Amino acid sequence: MRAFVLTGPGTYEVQDIPEPVAAPGEVVIDVERVGVCGTDMEFFTGEMAYLHQGHSSFPMRLGHEWSGLVRSVGAGVGREWLGRRVTGDTMIGCGDCRRCLRRRGHVCEKRREVGVRDGQPGALAEQLAVPASSLHPLPDSVDATLGALVEPGGNALRAAQAASADRNERVLVLGPGSIGLLVAMFARAGGADVHIMGKEQSSLDFAGTLGFERLWREDTLPDLPFDSIVDASNAPHLPALALELVEPGGRIVCIGLAGEPSRIDTRTLALKDVTAVGLLSASPALDATIAAYADGSVDPRPLVAATVGLGQVGAVLAGERPRGARAGPKIHVDPRNIAG
């Protein structure tokens, strides 16, 4: 099969490699769609922390936002999975430790991460082998594009839930990238009054096409009480700004990662009685995200600007926009696209 292999920082190949075989407890997926995300780009540049912490190494196969059809099953896996459209959890815990037994496998110390940590190749290939226990079935109303948006959507839904983004709440989302816009969509679906702050006017303009009207830059933010603020940016100064702006008794949620440490004044945190939440992983919210996509309460398909083949992935990771791409922030890959 064909697979995109990152051989080092900024170097890559589309290789012909052996097709995976389903081991006991595993399935093999015919991959239909894969999302490219900021984590993939950090691996491409060599900046991803896992590379320096010994969790990941080159060569590696990226791709953790995916959907596809179950092609084959290994021993111990029910044949009812065959032919089903599915997506899968990125985080695969050991299953035996204290965290896993408490349903916190996404922070298991020994966890594997599809397309991220060593030992679990990703979905930027025509086929993918994953544990059957990580699968989440997709209903007919959730197509391949939506299926590959479940993983980022699960992260965003958790952020919206952590912000208590429901009716009568005013929520400010910092950063109108893929995750920030998904957070805004889920918060809006819950009835919150959603505001979005961005840096680039083009990103704010795109948010406007999604029906968001309260769009700001840092120097134009209105003097309003924000009950919750979600930092979905990579700007190191914004967590401190969030703490400054949030209402006493409110909540700040950190889901974006900066390239350097962010600092906040914990005296302000305490004296304002603010709850601060950090989030890793979509795992606890995957099924709820699928349900929201299935019933149409959230439709993130406009976020996808283009769908390319494996041969174009390197250029996308290097920051190039595909020819003819629309305005959205997300690029998808169809590994079956021979022309790409």
Side-chain angles (χ1 to χ4, degrees), residues 9-62:
T11 63
Y12 55 88
E13 297 175 352
V14 176
Q15 299 180 356
D16 289 318
I17 64 174
E19 295 180 354
V21 176
E26 287 188 341
V27 301
V28 170
I29 306 294
D30 282 330
V31 180
E32 292 185 297
R33 201 74 84 246
V34 190
V36 177
C37 87
T39 299
D40 301 321
M41 292 182 172
E42 288 184 12
F43 277 119
F44 183 82
T45 63
E47 297 172 332
M48 174 60 182
Y50 280 1
L51 291 169
H52 307 287
Q53 296 168 348
H55 298 308
S56 306
S57 60
F58 300 114
M60 64 183 304
R61 203 171 82 208
L62 303 172

Side-chain angles (χ1 to χ4, degrees), residues 298-320:
V298 173
D299 182 5
R301 279 174 289 201
L303 299 184
V304 180
T307 301
V308 302
L310 290 175
Q312 295 172 268
V313 173
V316 170
L317 291 173
E320 295 182 24

Side-chain angles (χ1 to χ4, degrees), residues 47-267:
E47 297 172 332
M48 174 60 182
Y50 280 1
L51 291 169
H52 307 287
Q53 296 168 348
H55 298 308
S56 306
S57 60
F58 300 114
M60 64 183 304
R61 203 171 82 208
L62 303 172
H64 61 275
E65 304 174 1
W66 62 270
S67 64
L69 299 170
V70 177
R71 176 189 183 91
S72 62
V73 300
V77 180
R79 294 185 63 81
E80 66 272 11
W81 281 110
L82 289 171
R84 298 194 71 175
R85 173 173 284 121
V86 295
T87 188
D89 198 339
T90 297
M91 308 298 207
I92 302 172
C94 71
D96 298 320
C97 70
R98 184 174 186 267
R99 295 173 193 172
C100 286
L101 294 175
R102 293 187 171 206
R103 304 177 66 85
R104 297 174 185 163
H106 61 289
V107 289
C108 169
E109 186 69 25
K110 299 177 182 178
R111 70 182 180 275
R112 293 173 287 160
E113 297 182 29
V114 176
V116 177
R117 284 200 182 199
D118 280 347
Q120 197 67 48
L124 280 175
E126 292 175 311
Q127 294 176 17
L128 169 73
V130 293
S133 59
S134 71
L135 296 180
H136 290 257
L138 301 175
D140 291 341
S141 57
V142 177
D143 61 15
T145 297
L146 284 174
L149 288 164
V150 168
E151 197 277 342
N155 280 281
L157 175 54
R158 290 190 68 208
Q161 292 172 336
S164 297
D166 52 18
R167 298 189 187 282
N168 303 317
E169 293 285 306
R170 180 178 290 118
V171 179
L172 174 62
V173 179
L174 307 179
S178 296
I179 295 296
L181 290 173
L182 282 162
V183 173
M185 288 179 173
F186 279 107
R188 179 173 61 186
D193 175 21
V194 178
H195 295 242
I196 300 174
M197 189 192 89
K199 182 178 180 181
E200 302 295 335
Q201 190 59 46
S202 59
S203 297
L204 292 171
D205 290 343
F206 177 71
T209 69
L210 302 176
F212 295 102
E213 299 177 350
R214 298 166 181 84
L215 306 170
W216 317 103
R217 300 171 75 103
E218 190 169 342
D219 59 355
T220 65
L221 273 174
D223 184 17
L224 291 172
F226 293 106
D227 301 296
S228 302
I229 300 180
V230 179
D231 178 19
S233 77
N234 60 2
H237 74 286
L238 287 186
L241 179 64
L243 180 57
E244 175 187 334
L245 295 174
V246 73
E247 274 286 275
R251 302 170 72 85
I252 58 174
V253 180
C254 297
I255 191 170
L257 296 176
E260 59 185 82
S262 299
R263 301 185 184 279
I264 63 171
D265 189 336
T266 56
R267 296 170 298 182

